[in-house]
């Protein structure tokens, strides 16, 4: 019920022609280019950049073209489908590790709830991160099944390689998988790892051949790094900290079991991946996704193995499980930010999204009437107006932060390409109050 409650908002919101997050339109532009057979890796000296691998652009762009739908909407629904797939994968992984189905489902539902609750800029948005993680999750389940049957894990590792060419920063699962193969003494570990590494290198070589010399400069785009960006993001871990604590207490008491050892590798790799990526400027909540997926498996494994925990021996296994579930539910619900409640109860909240859509359509018409090259802060305005993608604000910001360009040099490039900035006069991205308290007591 709680997972369904939180999912209602991103599912409802996906219908609107609005820019949920800047990467939405950024992805849509490259999906358009891929479907049209145009280059997707621009000149590194220009004002646009593409530091994502190619697979998602071609898959979504070509499928959208075949189905005659906007890639923006197809990417949103693929994100929701990927989230559902990840939930099934968590349940399957817990079942393979413990033999318990119902507690795997509980871990999957916790994962759905926390993702829909705290990752609304990616859940139901046109971004390849969640679908890419679903590829990795499917490979992990496949690897667990094959290793349990003493069969080669090469095929699952190759699927992880393919997932890396969909989205490149889902690194937690591959790290944990390879560490598990070697740590558990798998007889196929070395050959499978070397073969999958060779496949990754071959894939990169194929990209260079296909996309030319612009591929690597785009993938290795400049970015500012520092502890400040890590410290600015690390507070967001408060939402999953309780699940991490519950798992850690259980894992320590059961540290000799296979389930504890495997989840320690997976959760540890997810946390490492998250903290490492948060050192980079501009990295958002998607850095947490490896960790949240691993914790979903961890929650399921803990619930399945609670009968042997010290707490269960004191208060009984059913009460122990009830206490764990109640604590996790309380942490999810204990917040004034309640978009789903406002979708149901507030006309003003719902109206903000419809009004924002009208604003965007109106300004797109205005931008389409401007002759020549136009750049928009809200890229969906320019895309809806049929204007090309000319300025990547993130690339420009990183060039300035790292000292690789000055504002004068950026302005000179804009002038050389006759780019004028469209003046947005109406809000084109939704920013309603999400406070349930303010809606209930507006005068306070």
């Amino acid at each position: 019920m709680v997972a369904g409650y939180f999912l209602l908002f991103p599912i409802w919101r996906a219908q609107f022609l609005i820019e949920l997050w800047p990467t939405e339109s950024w992805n849509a532009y490259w999906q358009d280019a891929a479907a049209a057979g145009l280059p997707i890796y621009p000149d590194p000296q220009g004002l646009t950049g593409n530091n994502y691998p190619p697979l998602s652009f071609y898959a979504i762009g070509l499928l959208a073209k075949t189905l005659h739908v906007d890639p923006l909407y197809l990417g949103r629904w693929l994100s929701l489908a990927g989230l559902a797939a990840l939930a099934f994968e968590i349940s399957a992984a817990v079942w393979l590790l413990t033999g318990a189905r119902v507690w795997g489902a509980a871990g999957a539902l916790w994962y759905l709830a926390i993702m829909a609750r705290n990752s609304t800029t990616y859940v139901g948005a046109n971004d390849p991160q969640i679908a890419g993680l679903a590829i990795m999750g499917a490979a992990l389940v496949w690897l667990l099944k094959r290793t349990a049957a003493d069969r080669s894990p090469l095929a699952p590792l190759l699927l992880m390689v393919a997932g890396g060419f969909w989205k490149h920063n889902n690194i937690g699962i591959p790290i944990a998988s390879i560490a598990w193969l070697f740590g558990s003494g798998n007889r196929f570990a070395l050959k499978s790892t070397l073969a999958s590494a060779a496949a990754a290198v071959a894939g990169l070589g194929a990209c260079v051949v296909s996309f030319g010399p612009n591929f690597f400069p785009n993938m290795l785009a400049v970015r500012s790094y520092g502890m400040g960006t890590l410290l600015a993001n690390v507070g967001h871990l408060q939402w999953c900290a309780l699940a991490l604590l519950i798992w850690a207490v259980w894992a320590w008491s059961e540290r000799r079991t296979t389930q504890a050892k495997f989840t320690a590798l997976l959760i540890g790799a997810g946390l490492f991946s998250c903290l490492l990526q948060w050192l980079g400027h501009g990295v958002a909540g998607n850095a947490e996704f490896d960790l949240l997926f691993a914790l979903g498996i961890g929650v399921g494994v803990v619930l399945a193995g609670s009968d042997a925990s010290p707490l269960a021996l004191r208060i009984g296994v059913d009460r122990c499980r009830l206490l764990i579930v109640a604590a996790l539910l309380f942490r999810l619900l204990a917040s004034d930010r309640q978009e789903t409640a406002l979708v149901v109860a507030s006309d003003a909240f719902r109206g903000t999204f419809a009004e924002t859509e009208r604003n965007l359509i109106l300004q797109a018409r205005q931008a389409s009437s401007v002759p020549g090259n136009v750049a928009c802060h809200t890229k969906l305005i320019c895309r809806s107006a049929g204007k090309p993608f000319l300025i990547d604000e993130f690339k420009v910001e990183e060039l300035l932060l790292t000292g690789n360009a000055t504002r004068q040099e950026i302005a000179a490039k804009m002038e050389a390409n006759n780019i004028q900035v469209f003046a947005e006069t109406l809000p084109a991205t939704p920013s309603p109050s999400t406070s349930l308290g303010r809606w209930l007591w507006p005068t306070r």
Side-chain angles (χ1 to χ4, degrees), residues 335-359:
S335 173
D336 184 47
R337 181 171 63 84
Q338 297 290 340
E339 294 96 330
T340 293
L342 294 171
V343 167
V344 174
S346 173
D347 292 337
F349 183 84
R350 293 192 302 272
T352 298
F353 289 83
E355 181 183 5
T356 301
E357 182 179 60
R358 290 192 294 270
N359 291 345

Side-chain angles (χ1 to χ4, degrees), residues 119-398:
S119 301
T120 52
T121 51
Y122 290 90
V123 173
N126 179 31
D127 187 276
Q129 188 81 37
I130 290 177
L133 186 60
I135 297 172
M136 293 289 186
L140 178 68
V141 172
W142 194 8
L143 181 138
L144 287 173
K145 192 170 183 179
R146 290 185 70 86
T147 53
D150 194 32
R151 300 176 64 186
S152 171
L154 177 58
L157 291 179
L158 291 176
L159 183 57
M160 291 182 195
V161 171
F165 283 94
W166 185 282
K167 189 65 167 68
H168 59 307
N169 65 330
N170 291 317
I171 61 174
I173 291 175
I175 290 173
S177 297
I178 292 172
W180 177 251
L181 290 175
F182 282 97
S184 61
N186 186 281
R187 63 193 179 97
F188 303 105
L190 182 59
K191 288 183 179 179
S192 297
T193 301
L194 291 175
S196 58
V201 172
L204 291 172
C207 287
V208 172
V209 172
S210 301
F211 304 115
N214 290 345
F215 175 72
F216 272 120
N218 273 273
M219 291 296 295
L220 301 174
V222 296
R223 186 189 293 266
S224 172
Y225 295 89
M227 286 298 296
T229 57
L230 170 61
L231 296 175
N233 282 296
V234 75
H236 201 256
L237 292 178
Q238 63 173 302
W239 290 101
C240 67
L242 179 60
L244 181 60
L245 177 62
I246 290 169
W247 166 82
V249 171
W250 171 88
W252 177 253
S253 66
E254 300 293 319
R255 55 189 177 275
R256 292 183 177 85
T257 65
T258 298
Q259 294 85 355
K261 292 176 181 178
F262 178 80
T263 52
L265 277 176
L266 192 63
I267 292 171
L271 182 59
F272 166 77
S273 170
C274 176
L275 298 177
L276 177 68
Q277 291 180 58
W278 273 342
L279 290 170
H281 178 261
V283 180
N286 60 326
E288 289 180 281
F289 289 177
D290 280 314
L291 175 60
L292 293 177
F293 175 78
L295 282 173
I297 295 175
V299 167
V301 168
V302 169
L303 290 170
S306 292
D307 53 346
S309 69
L311 181 61
L313 295 176
R314 287 177 175 269
I315 67 174
V317 63
D318 289 339
R319 289 178 180 175
C320 178
R321 285 169 172 155
L322 178 61
L323 184 62
I324 291 171
V325 171
L328 292 173
L329 285 173
F330 177 79
R331 184 64 193 98
L332 287 167
L333 292 168
S335 173
D336 184 47
R337 181 171 63 84
Q338 297 290 340
E339 294 96 330
T340 293
L342 294 171
V343 167
V344 174
S346 173
D347 292 337
F349 183 84
R350 293 192 302 272
T352 298
F353 289 83
E355 181 183 5
T356 301
E357 182 179 60
R358 290 192 294 270
N359 291 345
L360 191 143
I361 293 172
L362 175 63
Q363 293 182 102
R365 290 173 182 164
Q366 295 171 352
S368 66
S369 66
V370 177
N373 293 330
V374 178
C376 302
H377 174 71
T378 305
K379 289 186 283 297
L380 189 54
I381 292 177
C382 274
R383 181 173 178 269
S384 299
K387 297 294 185 179
F389 182 31
L390 299 173
I391 298 180
D392 185 339
E393 292 87 353
F394 176 75
K395 178 178 180 178
V396 170
E397 184 180 15
E398 295 304 319

